[in-house]
């Protein structure tokens, strides 16, 4: 049996999808929990469980000793947990544990099925019409937008009563279950963007992703490529949901969400490996 047809004994992709579904179901339950009577007795608002809420309320807490409305000290615990994962494994939170990331992956799968790809073959260019890959002249500048969003949110948090992103938050739009006109608009834009471009929110606008990007450079758990075994076939580039080019040469790229699709797709033994690097 040749390398191209060899079955791997353990499927990272199936394991990741299982974890993503569990995260999504858990977040839905959390949203349901906060629309039932007696909200205050169950730990406060839905916003309290958001890692990015910890970033939004950080500066107000440091300068005034008070958190923004709808957030509390629980946000810092969730944020510390997220940062702990990132310190060890880079942006693995984005690839494995983020409910918005999971929804974007699900939307991509459904979009491909609807727009012409009955069954996706790993490492092969998709025949579906959607999602699209934006031209580099548009894609590359847009990648910096999430850092601008992060900077604007931090600045606005110093003068805000509620978290600045609260009324435009895709997590609240999907899972908060208390909709406003702005949240409906956010949901429509998110769904349209994620249908047109794979991982639309992660690539261009997610301020939490912008915060975690630096950890790809310092985390000890990371992918390593063996240049002697890799034949630069391009299969991993095709499967990269973040649209990274020359994946084997950019395994610590800030855009990488450590989804490990490249490792799952690679058909050459030990060309890619997940390792713990010594400091």
């Amino acid at each position: 049996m040749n390398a191209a047809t060899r079955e791997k004994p353990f499927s990272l992709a199936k394991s990741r999808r299982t974890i993503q579904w569990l995260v999504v179901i858990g977040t839905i339950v959390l949203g349901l929990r906060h629309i039932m009577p007696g909200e205050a007795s169950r730990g406060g608002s839905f916003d309290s469980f958001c890692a990015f809420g910890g970033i939004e309320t950080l500066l107000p807490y440091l300068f005034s000793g008070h958190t923004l409305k709808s957030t509390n000290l629980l946000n810092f615990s969730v944020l510390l947990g997220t940062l702990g994962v990132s310190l060890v494994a880079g942006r693995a939170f984005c690839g494995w544990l983020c409910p918005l990331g999971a929804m974007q992956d699900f939307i991509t799968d459904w979009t491909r099925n609807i727009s012409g790809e009955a069954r996706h073959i790993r490492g092969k260019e998709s025949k579906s019409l959607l999602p699209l890959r934006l031209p580099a002249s548009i894609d590359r500048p847009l990648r910096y937008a999430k850092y601008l969003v992060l900077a604007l949110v931090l600045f606005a948090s110093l003068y805000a009563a509620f978290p600045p992103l609260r009324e435009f938050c895709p997590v609240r739009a999907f899972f908060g279950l208390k909709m406003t006109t702005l949240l409906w608009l956010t949901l429509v834009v998110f769904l349209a963007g994620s249908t047109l471009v794979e991982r639309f929110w992660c690539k261009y606008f997610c301020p939490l992703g912008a915060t975690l990007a630096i950890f790809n450079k310092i985390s000890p758990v990371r992918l390593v490529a063996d240049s002697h075994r890799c034949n630069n076939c391009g299969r991993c580039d095709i499967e990269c949901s973040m649209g990274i080019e020359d994946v084997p040469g950019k395994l610590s790229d800030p855009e990488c969400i450590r989804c490990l699709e490249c490792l799952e797709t690679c058909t050459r033994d030990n060309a890619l490996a997940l390792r713990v690097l010594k400091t």
Side-chain angles (χ1 to χ4, degrees):
M1 184 179 292
N2 60 38
T5 59
R6 186 188 298 112
E7 290 292 331
K8 295 190 177 183
F10 175 75
S11 175
L12 285 167
K14 289 181 180 178
S15 299
R16 188 168 76 96
R17 276 294 186 268
T18 299
I19 291 171
Q20 286 181 311
W21 273 112
L22 291 174
V23 168
V24 166
I25 292 169
T27 310
I28 292 172
V29 170
L30 191 64
L32 289 171
R33 182 173 178 259
H34 285 85
I35 63 171
M36 296 173 66
E39 178 179 295
S41 66
R42 293 189 300 279
S45 70
F46 180 78
D47 300 353
S48 306
F49 294 83
C50 175
F52 189 66
I55 296 173
E56 290 177 288
T57 201
L58 178 62
L59 293 182
Y61 183 74
L62 290 177
F63 284 104
S64 70
H66 300 287
T67 59
L68 297 176
K69 292 180 180 179
S70 81
T71 65
N72 57 42
L73 296 181
L74 178 59
N75 288 96
F76 295 133
S77 297
V78 179
L79 175 60
L80 285 173
T82 303
L83 294 178
V85 171
S86 303
L87 188 62
V88 173
R91 286 183 65 182
F93 175 85
C94 304
W96 292 71
L97 300 173
C98 176
L100 277 185
M103 290 307 304
Q104 289 173 97
D105 285 343
F106 300 160
I107 290 169
T108 293
D109 290 345
W110 299 331
T111 300
R112 283 175 173 165
N113 289 337
I114 292 171
S115 64
E117 185 177 68
R119 178 177 176 271
H120 179 61
I121 300 175
R122 216 170 249 290
K124 299 284 187 180
E125 288 284 358
S126 176
K127 296 181 180 180
S128 63
L129 299 176
L130 296 171
L132 306 171
R133 285 206 175 186
L134 297 181
S137 59
I138 299 174
D139 174 75
R140 288 174 183 169
L142 272 178
R143 299 272 181 162
Y144 294 100
K146 56 181 172 288
Y147 299 100
L148 177 61
V149 172
L150 175 61
L152 290 174
V153 167
L154 289 174
F155 177 77
S157 70
L158 293 171
Y159 304 96
F162 286 90
L165 199 62
R166 187 172 189 267
E167 295 304 317
F168 307 93
C169 177
V171 178
R172 290 187 68 229
F174 258 110
F175 305 106
L177 305 179
K178 288 184 178 181
M179 299 298 287
T180 65
T181 301
L182 286 175
L183 287 176
W184 277 116
L185 179 60
T186 298
L187 182 61
V188 170
V189 171
F190 182 91
L191 290 172
S194 300
T195 300
L196 292 171
V197 179
E198 188 173 5
R199 286 265 177 172
F200 166 81
W201 173 255
C202 298
K203 286 177 180 175
Y204 306 128
F205 299 111
C206 180
L208 182 59
T211 305
L212 302 182
I214 189 174
F215 290 97
N216 279 359
K217 299 292 186 180
I218 61 176
S219 61
V221 177
R222 63 178 69 181
L223 284 163
V224 177
D226 186 333
S227 59
H228 298 292
R229 295 179 183 272
C230 176
N231 64 350
N232 296 308
C233 65
R235 287 170 57 89
C236 48
D237 289 19
I238 292 171
E239 292 303 317
C240 181
S241 62
M242 293 298 286
I244 298 172
E245 297 177 356
D246 183 25
V247 169
K250 296 180 180 178
L251 294 174
S252 296
D253 192 285
E255 294 294 301
C256 176
I257 56 173
R258 301 290 168 86
C259 64
L260 305 184
E261 286 294 322
C262 52
L263 181 60
E264 180 82 343
T265 301
C266 185
T267 57
R268 295 180 69 87
D269 289 340
N270 301 317
L272 284 177
L274 187 65
R275 295 180 182 170
V276 179
L277 301 184
K278 296 180 180 180
T279 56

